[in-house]
């Protein structure tokens, strides 16, 4: 089967950072679906792994987590899907990736592809949707489906893939006032399109920016990027007994200043459930079911902003470079081989 991968980690401008290759097709395990991949999208995790994670000597590492495709075969204990089903999913960190014509994935982290979306638009959604959902409702425990609770959610880095979905979910499924951060005219416009009530500039002190729009404090802070840089402002702006959720990887992160306010600090890693095969692993299937239904109802929109052609090394290199330069808005997608 056609795949894109690498044999040694390194910077994206190295000629062999990503290469087209042929590898054997996977054999599905008991709980697996064998999926013919139609489209994939690129996430920051792709760039982090490519730059730092070495495969075993002489072996190739295939990246890619987001995918949309068609089930070709199923393992003998699969109950949720059957061959011919159209699916979308975000994969598992410790298994080969989706930048391949055929991919094996545990059915418990797979959802039915939204019928109203093309392959590329569907492939933009799974990883960021699961991450945003888990961060908001499972980790930060924002009240789900309660429109009259009040409160303020601050989304730091609102124009990225996770922020774009998080803003929409919070507007649809909570009563929170959603404030997103952005700094460029195009990203400001994007987060407003996603549904943010207010937009503030993350290149300035966030506590002062909140005051400038007449908001005293935030009950929930979803810190999606530069958490260490924004921490002093977050200490000031977060409400007593508030909740701060993170998805990024600061080298050091001293949460002691948050003790005075009894703030809850939590991390979200979308791969935790699949990595440890937690008892509630099938929750990701249910999240994707609900996301798919919201999309088909016209309530949730894809965050795809660009579809850049077929799945190959040259196109993946281009998208990795865009992510690493911090220029991404929403999600970029590749479709077909």
């Amino acid at each position: 089967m056609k795949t894109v991968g690498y044999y040694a980690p390194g910077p994206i401008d190295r000629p062999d950072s990503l290469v087209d290759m042929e590898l054997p097709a996977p054999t599905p395990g008991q709980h697996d679906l064998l999926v013919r991949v139609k489209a994939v999208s690129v996430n920051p995790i792709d760039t982090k792994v490519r730059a730092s994670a070495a495969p075993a000597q002489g072996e190739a590492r295939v990246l890619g987590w987001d995918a949309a495709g068609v089930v070709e075969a199923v393992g003998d204990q699969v109950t949720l899907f059957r061959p011919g089903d159209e699916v979308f999913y975000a994969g598992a960190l410790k298994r080969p990736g989706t930048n391949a014509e055929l991919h094996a994935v545990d059915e418990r982290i797979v959802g039915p592809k939204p019928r109203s979306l093309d392959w590329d638009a569907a492939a933009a959604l799974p990883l960021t949707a699961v991450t945003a959902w888990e961060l908001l409702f499972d980790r930060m425990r924002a009240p789900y489906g309660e429109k009259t609770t009040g409160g303020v959610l601050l989304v730091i880095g609102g124009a990225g893939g996770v922020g774009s979905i998080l803003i929409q979910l919070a507007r649809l499924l909570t009563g929170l006032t959603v404030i997103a951060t952005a700094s460029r005219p195009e990203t400001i416009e994007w987060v407003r399109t996603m549904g943010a009530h207010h937009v503030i500039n993350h290149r300035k002190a966030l506590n002062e920016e909140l005051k400038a729009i007449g908001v005293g404090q935030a009950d929930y802070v979803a810190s999606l990027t530069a958490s260490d840089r924004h921490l002093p402002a977050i200490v000031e702006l977060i409400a007593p007994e508030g909740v701060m959720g993170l998805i990024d990887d600061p080298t050091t992160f001293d949460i002691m200043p948050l003790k005075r306010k009894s703030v809850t600090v939590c991390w979200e890693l979308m791969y935790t459930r699949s990595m440890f095969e937690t008892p509630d692993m099938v929750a990701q299937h249910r999240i994707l079911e609900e996301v798919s239904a919201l999309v088909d109802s016209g309530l949730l929109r894809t965050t795809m902003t660009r579809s850049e052609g077929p799945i190959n090394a040259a196109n993946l290199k281009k998208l990795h470079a865009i992510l690493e330069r911090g220029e991404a808005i929403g999600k970029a997608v590749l479709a077909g081989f």
Side-chain angles (χ1 to χ4, degrees), residues 110-128:
V110 176
K113 170 189 163 290
R115 295 184 302 276
S116 58
L117 294 184
D118 294 337
W119 295 112
D120 50 1
L125 285 169
L127 188 148
T128 53

Side-chain angles (χ1 to χ4, degrees), residues 3 15 26 40 55 60 102 107 109 138 150 154-155 171-172 181 194 203-204 215 236 244 260 276 298 301 303 314 333:
T3 64
V40 300
L102 292 166
E107 67 166 345
I109 60 172
D138 296 347
L154 174 64
V155 181
R171 282 300 306 266
L172 282 171
T181 79
M194 292 297 100
R203 298 192 185 280
K204 300 179 181 179
V215 177
E236 296 299 319
M244 178 183 183
R260 185 169 61 95
F276 297 99
R301 58 177 285 183
T303 55
V333 178

Side-chain angles (χ1 to χ4, degrees), residues 243-263:
V243 182
M244 178 183 183
L246 305 84
I247 65 169
D248 60 340
D249 305 291
T251 304
T252 60
F253 195 68
D254 181 11
I255 63 173
M256 276 302 296
L258 295 166
K259 178 180 179 180
R260 185 169 61 95
K261 289 184 174 178
S262 296
V263 169

Side-chain angles (χ1 to χ4, degrees), residues 65-179:
W65 285 275
D66 272 332
V70 180
V71 177
E72 288 219 343
V74 300
D76 59 14
Q77 293 189 23
V78 167
T79 61
L80 300 173
F81 298 96
R82 60 186 179 183
D85 286 348
E86 297 183 351
V87 297
F88 73 150
Y89 57 91
L93 190 61
K94 292 188 174 182
R95 301 189 67 174
T98 58
N99 295 333
E101 286 185 291
L102 292 166
H103 184 250
V105 60
D106 192 301
E107 67 166 345
R108 291 170 289 182
I109 60 172
V110 176
K113 170 189 163 290
R115 295 184 302 276
S116 58
L117 294 184
D118 294 337
W119 295 112
D120 50 1
L125 285 169
L127 188 148
T128 53
V130 173
T131 300
W133 190 291
E134 289 185 344
L135 177 63
L136 186 61
F137 298 121
D138 296 347
R139 313 298 174 225
M140 298 173 69
R141 301 188 184 280
Y144 168 80
E146 297 181 24
K147 288 293 202 176
T148 58
T149 57
V152 172
L153 166 67
L154 174 64
V155 181
I156 300 174
V162 174
S164 300
I165 292 291
L166 185 58
I167 292 167
Q168 293 186 71
L169 292 177
R171 282 300 306 266
L172 282 171
L173 301 174
T174 80
L176 299 171
T177 296
V178 181
I179 302 171

Side-chain angles (χ1 to χ4, degrees), residues 162-238:
V162 174
S164 300
I165 292 291
L166 185 58
I167 292 167
Q168 293 186 71
L169 292 177
R171 282 300 306 266
L172 282 171
L173 301 174
T174 80
L176 299 171
T177 296
V178 181
I179 302 171
T181 79
S183 60
R184 292 176 284 149
E186 59 269 31
T187 55
I188 292 169
E189 178 59 28
W190 174 257
V191 297
R192 285 184 173 143
T193 301
M194 292 297 100
H197 292 97
H198 306 282
V199 185
I200 62 175
N201 190 340
H202 49 231
R203 298 192 185 280
K204 300 179 181 179
L206 295 180
N207 55 318
E208 297 300 327
E209 285 285 283
L210 271 191
K211 290 178 184 175
I213 62 170
V215 177
Q217 58 189 18
D219 304 277
Y220 301 90
V221 176
S223 187
L224 310 180
T225 184
S227 295
D228 47 354
R229 178 162 60 87
H230 293 301
L231 182 59
I234 293 169
V235 170
E236 296 299 319
L237 68 85
I238 198 165

